[in-house]
């Protein structure tokens, strides 16, 4: 299924077939009801704000055009009688996704797609990552925050063993390897993400130091039996999983080691910090970008 599009956000991983678009307008108050009723119909459902938020234009894309009778049966119970159906011109979605993913800097890291042909900034650590089937191109505030924190930590010295928990495309693991970490383990419960991370590691010439592996959190192999602990753990996930996994993060983090956790909103900082402080981790730095936050933590050297 082609991913949903809302307010100009586009995420596409495959070239587009010939598509047909069904379009109509609804009042803002009807948005939730219409979305629920039409969920799963067609290949994607897009919403575009109109009239200063008082109305929304809805666009549903179909690989095979629906019959007029089907459209009426679907829309009339929702009070929608005015609609249009037309073929969508073929588009080069690969070029479109590349246009929407320009190169960027985060500290000394320079991230770009394969379409980039310009000069790399002098002294920058270059990473090539394209939009694809796994989550994470580095442009979200949470990933940017992790990259900036990683750059600042690197200025204190090289890393030894690094873990990227919930690696997605592997961007944070790649960044750690590019910054000189001796070994990096990238773990994700999505086999597609593991495959993409491995491909990205090879593409960037980092395959020898970066090992992507499948795993569901810290308790599954290969981490459950890990005898050696990590100097740095990167976990860009979500607030609730971060809280739940705090004891396991401590278990795999060596005394004096550091962790950078993100995927949380500013308003979720207190509860995430509380869960990690209960495990003896202390806050060293917080980095806020927009509504999002990245927290740099350190495990105390005393105790078990």
């Amino acid at each position: 299924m082609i991913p949903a599009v809302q307010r100009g956000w586009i995420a596409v991983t495959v070239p587009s077939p010939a598509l047909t678009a069904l379009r109509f307008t609804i009042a803002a108050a009807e948005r939730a009801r219409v979305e629920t009723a039409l969920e799963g119909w067609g290949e994607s459902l897009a919403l575009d704000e109109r009239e200063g938020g008082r109305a929304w234009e809805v666009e549903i894309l179909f690989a095979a055009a629906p019959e007029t009778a089907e459209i009426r049966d679907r829309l009339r119970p929702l009070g929608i009688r005015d609609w249009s159906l037309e073929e969508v011109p073929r588009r080069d979605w690969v070029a479109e996704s590349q246009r929407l993913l320009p190169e960027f800097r985060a500290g000394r890291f320079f991230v770009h797609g394969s379409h980039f042909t310009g000069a790399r900034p002098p002294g920058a650590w270059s990473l090539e990552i394209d939009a694809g089937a796994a989550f994470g191109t580095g442009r979200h505030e949470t990933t940017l925050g992790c990259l900036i924190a990683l750059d600042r930590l690197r200025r204190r010295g090289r890393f030894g063993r690094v873990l990227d928990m919930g690696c997605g495309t592997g961007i944070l693991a790649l960044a750690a390897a590019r910054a000189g970490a001796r070994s990096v383990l990238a773990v994700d419960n999505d086999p597609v993400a593991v495959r993409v991370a491995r491909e990205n590691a090879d593409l960037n010439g980092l395959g020898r130091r970066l090992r992507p592996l499948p795993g569901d959190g810290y308790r599954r192999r290969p981490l459950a039996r890990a005898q050696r602990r990590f100097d740095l753990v990167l976990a860009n996930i979500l607030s609730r999983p971060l809280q739940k996994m705090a004891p396991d993060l401590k278990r795999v983090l060596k005394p004096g080691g550091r962790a950078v956790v993100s995927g949380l909103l500013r308003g979720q900082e207190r509860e995430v910090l509380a869960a990690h402080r209960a495990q003896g981790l202390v806050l060293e730095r917080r980095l806020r970008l927009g509504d999002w936050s990245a927290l740099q933590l350190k495990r105390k050297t005393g105790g078990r």
Side-chain angles (χ1 to χ4, degrees):
M1 177 176 286
I2 296 174
V5 181
Q6 181 171 336
R7 293 190 181 184
W9 175 78
I10 298 179
V12 179
T13 62
V14 295
S16 171
L19 298 173
T20 302
L22 172 66
R23 299 186 180 94
F24 52 88
T25 302
I26 59 173
E30 294 295 306
R31 176 184 167 183
R33 186 169 74 99
V34 169
E35 281 189 281
T36 300
L38 301 181
E39 183 179 3
W41 189 35
E43 311 304 322
S44 74
L45 185 148
L47 297 122
D48 197 9
E49 192 174 8
R50 294 285 185 267
E51 300 177 17
R54 294 189 298 274
W56 289 81
E57 182 183 73
V58 180
E59 179 186 77
I60 304 175
L61 296 179
F62 296 90
E67 298 292 334
T68 300
E70 180 186 1
I71 297 173
R72 288 173 178 168
D73 290 343
R74 288 271 194 168
L75 299 186
R76 279 185 176 176
L78 300 172
I80 301 167
R81 288 177 168 76
D82 295 326
W83 48 268
S84 65
L85 186 69
E86 59 186 71
E87 185 175 334
V88 178
R90 289 182 178 271
R91 299 171 68 180
D92 185 346
W93 288 112
V94 172
E96 184 74 5
S97 66
Q98 290 175 345
R99 182 184 66 81
L100 293 170
L101 293 174
E103 62 278 3
F104 69 93
R105 290 286 301 263
R108 283 176 287 181
F109 297 107
F110 176 68
V111 184
H112 60 88
S114 57
H115 61 285
F116 177 73
T117 57
R120 277 60 166 172
W125 290 325
S126 180
L127 295 171
E128 181 177 317
I129 299 178
D130 281 326
F135 175 81
T137 59
R139 289 151 180 87
H140 193 273
E141 288 90 340
T142 58
T143 315
L144 285 171
C146 290
L147 288 171
I148 293 170
L150 182 60
D151 174 50
R152 289 174 175 173
L153 283 170
R154 174 60 179 82
R155 294 175 189 274
R156 300 181 181 183
R158 290 182 181 272
F159 308 114
R161 286 169 50 85
V162 178
L163 169 65
D164 180 4
M165 175 54 64
C167 64
T169 59
I171 182 169
L172 298 182
L174 290 166
R178 179 68 80 211
R182 289 195 300 272
S183 67
V184 183
L185 187 63
V187 176
D188 204 291
N189 61 4
D190 180 0
V192 174
V194 174
R195 174 180 58 79
V196 171
R198 184 176 294 112
E199 291 171 353
N200 283 333
D202 292 339
L203 176 66
N204 285 272
L206 298 170
R208 291 186 177 181
R209 279 185 286 164
L210 198 163
R211 187 184 180 197
L213 290 173
D216 187 8
Y218 297 90
R219 293 191 177 275
R220 298 292 181 88
R221 290 187 300 174
L223 296 176
R225 299 180 181 178
Q227 298 299 315
R228 298 171 60 191
R229 291 175 173 171
F230 295 90
D231 303 285
L232 175 66
V233 174
L234 306 165
N236 183 17
I237 313 177
L238 290 170
S239 171
R240 288 188 181 277
L242 286 173
Q243 295 173 60
K244 183 178 180 181
M245 298 161 76
D248 290 323
L249 187 153
K250 175 191 176 181
R251 177 177 58 81
V252 303
L253 187 64
K254 75 176 186 180
R258 290 179 170 84
V260 178
V261 300
S262 191
L264 59 140
L265 295 163
R266 290 190 181 195
Q268 298 169 328
E269 285 182 3
R270 181 178 299 179
E271 54 199 26
V272 173
L273 279 173
H276 288 83
R277 282 170 172 158
Q279 301 301 320
L281 278 74
V282 296
L283 176 67
E284 282 195 320
R285 182 191 298 270
R286 76 182 82 208
L287 180 61
R288 291 169 170 171
L289 296 175
D291 295 330
W292 301 90
S293 177
L295 306 176
Q296 178 182 312
L297 308 169
K298 181 177 180 181
R299 181 180 172 182
K300 296 178 182 179
T301 55
R304 294 181 62 183

